[in-house]
C-alpha cells in the first residue's frame, strides 16, 4: 500500500456510514428534505464503484472496451441530465448538449497530442468531461425551463415589442442559465488556494512531479470550462427552439412552449 492510499478496514466503513447518516439526518431535521436521496446516492455510489473497480482493469486492456465504457458513461449522463431538467425537456436536448461540449474538446486534446492517446488516460479524462457537461446541462436546462414558466408574461411583452419568439425567450432565460457555469468558474479561480482537485493529486500519487501535476490539472480545468460553456449554450438554444415552434402556446406543468 502506498503512503497516500486510504486504508480499507472497519474504520473506513464506520466513517463512510457516519458521514452518510449525518448528512441525511441534517437534511431531515432541518426540514430541507431529500434525506433519502443522500442514502440512495451513497448506496448507488458504493455499488457502482465496487463494480467499476472489478472491471476497470479489463476495460483498459483494449480500445474497443474503453470506447464502449465511454459510451456507457455518456448514455447514463444523458439520461440523468434529461431527468434533472424535467418533464418539459425534449429527449434530444441532454444528449446533444453533452456531446456538443465533450466530443470536440476531447478531439482537440487528442489531435494536438496534449493528451496521451492511451486508454489509461483517455477513459478518466472523458469521464471528467462528461460529468462536467452533465452537471452544466442539468443546471442550465432547469434554469431555462423555470424562467420560461414563471416569466411568460415578460416573454409575451417581448413579442409585443416586435421580438421574434426565439429572441424573446433568450432575453428571459439566458442570464439565469449562464449561472450554471458558476461552479466550474469558482473551481478554476480557486484551484490551488481552496482545493487541490483530483487530477492534481492523482498525478502526484502516480509518481510525477508537482509541475507536471499542475499542468495536468490546468489542462483539465480549462477544458472543462470550454466543455461546460458549449453544453450550456446548446442546452439553452435547443430548449428555446423546441418551444419557439409554437409561440402561441401557454406553459403548462409538463411542457413549455415559447
Amino acid at each position: 500500500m502506498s503512503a497516500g492510499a486510504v486504508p480499507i478496514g472497519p474504520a473506513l466503513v464506520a466513517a463512510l456510514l457516519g458521514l452518510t447518516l449525518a448528512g441525511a439526518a441534517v437534511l431531515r431535521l432541518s426540514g430541507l428534505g431529500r434525506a433519502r436521496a443522500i442514502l440512495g446516492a451513497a448506496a448507488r455510489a458504493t455499488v457502482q464503484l465496487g463494480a467499476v473497480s472489478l472491471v476497470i482493469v479489463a476495460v483498459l486492456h483494449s480500445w474497443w472496451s474503453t470506447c464502449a465504457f465511454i459510451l456507457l458513461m455518456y448514455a447514463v449522463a444523458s439520461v440523468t441530465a434529461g431527468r434533472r431538467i424535467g418533464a418539459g425537456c425534449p429527449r434530444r436536448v441532454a444528449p446533444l448538449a453533452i456531446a456538443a461540449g465533450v466530443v470536440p474538446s476531447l478531439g482537440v486534446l487528442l489531435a494536438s497530442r496534449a493528451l496521451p492517446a492511451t486508454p489509461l488516460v483517455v477513459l478518466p479524462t472523458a469521464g471528467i468531461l462528461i460529468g462536467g457537461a452533465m452537471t452544466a446541462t442539468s443546471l442550465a436546462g432547469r434554469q431555462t425551463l423555470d424562467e420560461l414558466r414563471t416569466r411568460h408574461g415578460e416573454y409575451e411583452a417581448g413579442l409585443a415589442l416586435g421580438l421574434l419568439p426565439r429572441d424573446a425567450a433568450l432575453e428571459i432565460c439566458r442570464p439565469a442559465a449562464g449561472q450554471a457555469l458558476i461552479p466550474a468558474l469558482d473551481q478554476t479561480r480557486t484551484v490551488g488556494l481552496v482545493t487541490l482537485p483530483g487530477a492534481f493529486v492523482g498525478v502526484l500519487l502516480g509518481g510525477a512531479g508537482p509541475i507536471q501535476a499542475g499542468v495536468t490539472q490546468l489542462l483539465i480545468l480549462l477544458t472543462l470550462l470550454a466543455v461546460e460553456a458549449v453544453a450550456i449554450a446548446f442546452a439553452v438554444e435547443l430548449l428555446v427552439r423546441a418551444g419557439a415552434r409554437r409561440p402561441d402556446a401557454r406553459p403548462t406543468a409538463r411542457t413549455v412552449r415559447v
Side-chain angles (χ1 to χ4, degrees), residues 120-187:
L120 184 62
V121 175
V122 172
L123 180 60
T125 303
I128 292 172
L129 300 183
I130 291 172
M134 176 188 71
T135 301
T137 299
S138 300
L139 293 175
R142 286 178 69 91
Q143 291 281 13
T144 297
L145 292 189
D146 286 346
E147 292 293 291
L148 294 176
R149 287 182 179 122
T150 59
R151 300 173 61 187
H152 190 73
E154 296 177 47
Y155 163 76
E156 291 182 333
L159 294 181
L161 292 173
L163 293 178
L164 295 175
R166 172 184 173 274
D167 296 331
L170 287 176
E171 285 296 321
I172 293 172
C173 65
R174 268 190 302 208
Q179 295 179 10
L181 195 60
I182 289 178
L185 286 172
D186 287 346
Q187 182 183 26

Side-chain angles (χ1 to χ4, degrees), residues 47-62 65-66 68-69 72-73 123:
V47 173
Q48 290 165 190
L49 285 175
V52 169
S53 299
L54 295 176
V55 304
I56 194 65
V57 175
V59 167
L60 293 174
H61 278 167
S62 73
S65 56
T66 298
F69 199 84
L72 175 62
M73 291 191 292
L123 180 60

Side-chain angles (χ1 to χ4, degrees), residues 181-211:
L181 195 60
I182 289 178
L185 286 172
D186 287 346
Q187 182 183 26
T188 304
R189 288 168 176 163
T190 61
V191 65
L193 298 176
V194 178
T195 61
L196 293 177
F200 180 88
V201 177
V203 172
L204 281 180
L205 293 177
I211 300 298

